[in-house]
């Protein structure tokens, strides 16, 4: 039986969950986090028998654990730094307790980029974690902002991939495009329906256009949801790329094919996987379930890959081989 390693598998710690409750921001921000915890809090806090039973049911051998959105990115730097450190210690402890079932992404205190770089180094070299998950912007600070250079430099130096996870659009965008219905519909539009995915894809495209990968050619990202919308416009972006006033060393499409890998985030949609493979190649595709938010129960995660119109070698690569090649050595 082929090995399946799932990359977008979330947890929370009681300490971080309490910090979210008192985080700065709008009532809407806090309501979003509260709704998430109401929906999945028990499963997020479980890093033991319940989680492993769910993995067995899904057909997943290994979860790469990550602190769920918004991580500690919605907190003041003085709170975010020690909380990130303790959360990463908790992830490492969970991995040590079940080393054959868990791996881990660090969470980074992005309100302080220098501290984030230091924590990434500690997490990878001392704790043995696989890289980090970043939840998009930190307040108004986009991923391509020069302030984030220490994070990208550290990740490239360590050979540690960064999983860029969706985040809510800024309030101005959210109000302009995702409101005007009932609160539940507004929230869904701004997040899981489509708002998250435009937001994340644009963050990655901006990193390319800002020259982040030219300065750090070894930097590797992972994004979910079969490319976060922007990948599906890659031909269009490439066609108009001569209009960009940026001086890039490679065609825009090359960065998507050489510096970014992709998961489905639990979306078991064969046509989406076929399209992604056609654009970037099998060697850039990996597995994710998005536990506990997406239902892949009853063996759905394993069945999706087993039934795909791919060779056995290609299925093995997507199941685990591509990740094992990308992950830094322990």
């Amino acid at each position: 039986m082929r090995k399946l390693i799932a990359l977008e598998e979330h947890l929370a710690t009681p300490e971080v969950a309490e910090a979210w409750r008192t985080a700065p921001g709008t009532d809407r921000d806090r309501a979003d986090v509260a709704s998430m915890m109401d929906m999945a809090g028990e499963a997020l806090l479980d890093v033991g028998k319940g989680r492993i039973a769910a993995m067995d049911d899904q057909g997943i051998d290994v979860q790469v654990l990550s602190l769920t959105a918004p991580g500690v990115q919605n907190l003041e730097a003085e709170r975010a730094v020690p909380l990130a450190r303790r959360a990463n210690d908790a992830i490492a402890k969970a991995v040590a307790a079940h080393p054959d079932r868990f791996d881990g992404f660090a969470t980074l205190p992005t309100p302080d980029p220098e501290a984030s770089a230091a924590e990434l180094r500690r997490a990878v070299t001392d704790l043995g974690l696989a890289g980090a998950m970043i939840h998009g912007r930190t307040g108004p600070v986009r991923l391509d902002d020069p302030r984030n250079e220490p994070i990208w430099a550290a990740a490239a130096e360590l050979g540690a991939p960064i999983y860029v996870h969706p985040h809510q659009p800024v309030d101005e965008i959210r109000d302009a495009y995702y409101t005007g219905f009932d609160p539940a519909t507004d929230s869904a539009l701004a997040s899981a329906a489509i708002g998250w995915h435009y937001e994340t894809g644009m963050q990655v495209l901006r990193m390319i256009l800002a020259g982040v990968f030219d300065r750090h050619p070894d930097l590797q990202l992972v994004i979910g949801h079969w490319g976060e919308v922007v990948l599906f416009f890659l031909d269009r972006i490439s066609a108009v790329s001569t209009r960009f006033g940026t001086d890039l060393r490679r065609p825009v499409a090359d960065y998507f094919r050489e510096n970014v890998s992709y998961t489905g985030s639990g979306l078991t949609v064969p046509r989406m996987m076929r399209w992604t493979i056609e654009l970037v190649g099998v060697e850039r595709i990996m597995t994710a379930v998005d536990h506990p938010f997406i239902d892949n129960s009853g063996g759905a995660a394993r069945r999706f890959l087993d039934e795909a119109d791919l060779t056995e070698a290609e299925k093995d690569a997507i199941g685990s081989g591509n990740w094992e090649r990308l992950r830094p050595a322990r």
Side-chain angles (χ1 to χ4, degrees):
M1 185 181 297
R2 69 178 44 86
K3 186 177 183 180
L4 263 63
I5 302 175
L7 270 66
E8 190 178 328
E9 318 309 317
H10 301 298
L11 57 76
T13 69
E15 184 181 29
V16 172
E18 176 59 22
W20 290 334
R21 191 181 66 81
T22 58
T26 66
D27 290 342
R28 183 169 62 186
D29 294 333
R30 284 184 285 272
D32 288 339
V33 173
S35 176
M36 173 188 70
M37 292 303 294
D38 287 344
M39 176 176 65
E42 183 176 344
L44 287 168
L45 294 169
D46 182 357
V47 290
K49 292 181 179 179
R51 181 176 293 262
I52 291 172
M55 293 165 60
D56 291 341
D57 182 50
Q58 296 156 358
I60 294 298
D61 296 296
V62 178
Q63 281 191 357
V64 184
L65 303 172
S66 56
L67 186 64
T68 195
V72 297
Q73 294 179 221
N74 63 333
L75 305 173
E76 308 92 333
E78 56 269 23
R79 297 179 71 195
V81 172
L83 275 174
R85 187 179 182 91
R86 292 195 289 271
N88 293 334
D89 288 343
I91 292 171
K93 182 178 179 180
V95 173
H98 301 282
D100 58 331
R101 304 307 303 269
F102 295 149
D103 198 355
F105 281 127
T107 193
L108 301 182
T110 58
D112 185 335
E114 291 285 356
S116 293
E119 181 59 17
L120 179 60
R121 289 190 177 93
R122 185 186 80 92
V124 172
T125 60
D126 296 349
L127 301 182
L129 299 186
M133 179 172 283
I134 289 181
H135 303 282
R137 294 173 295 98
T138 300
V141 179
R142 296 183 291 255
L143 292 183
D144 61 286
D145 191 289
R147 283 172 282 188
N148 287 322
E149 281 292 294
I151 299 174
W152 311 132
E157 174 192 335
L158 294 162
I162 304 294
Y163 200 121
V164 180
H165 186 272
H167 185 51
Q168 297 284 7
V170 294
D171 285 345
E172 293 84 356
I173 297 296
R174 189 167 177 173
D175 290 339
Y177 290 101
Y178 304 118
T179 59
F181 300 97
D182 59 278
T185 302
D186 291 353
S187 179
L189 280 175
S191 57
I194 198 165
W196 278 348
H197 312 303
Y198 275 117
E199 167 72 17
T200 306
M202 277 301 302
Q203 293 291 327
V204 175
L205 180 58
R206 288 188 61 95
M207 288 178 68
I208 292 170
L209 296 178
V212 172
F213 299 100
D214 287 343
R215 294 189 295 276
H216 309 289
D218 294 330
L219 176 62
Q220 293 291 321
L221 303 184
V222 183
I223 60 176
H225 305 98
W226 302 117
E228 303 292 8
V229 179
V230 70
L231 185 64
F232 293 90
F233 278 86
L234 185 57
D235 291 325
R236 176 66 168 170
I237 294 166
S238 297
V240 303
S241 61
T242 56
R243 302 182 191 180
F244 296 140
T246 54
D247 184 19
L248 297 177
R249 296 177 185 172
R250 292 177 276 160
V252 170
D254 285 7
Y255 298 93
F256 282 103
R257 295 186 176 115
E258 297 169 10
N259 293 94
V260 188
S261 295
Y262 305 86
T263 77
S265 303
L267 298 175
T268 53
V269 184
R271 64 179 176 272
M272 296 180 77
M273 183 168 71
R274 288 195 301 269
W275 178 252
T276 309
I277 290 172
E278 181 178 336
L279 287 169
V280 300
V282 167
E283 67 276 8
R284 284 285 164 181
I285 312 299
M286 296 181 288
T287 295
V289 172
D290 199 9
H291 177 84
F293 300 109
I294 299 294
D295 183 8
N296 269 223
S297 60
R302 180 169 295 275
R303 188 164 57 251
F304 172 64
L305 188 56
D306 285 346
E307 296 177 356
D309 185 18
L310 299 167
T311 68
E312 292 303 306
E314 289 171 332
K315 294 175 185 179
D316 290 343
I318 292 171
S320 61
N322 292 339
W323 169 245
E324 290 172 338
R325 173 178 49 81
L326 183 65
R327 192 203 191 284
R330 296 175 190 271

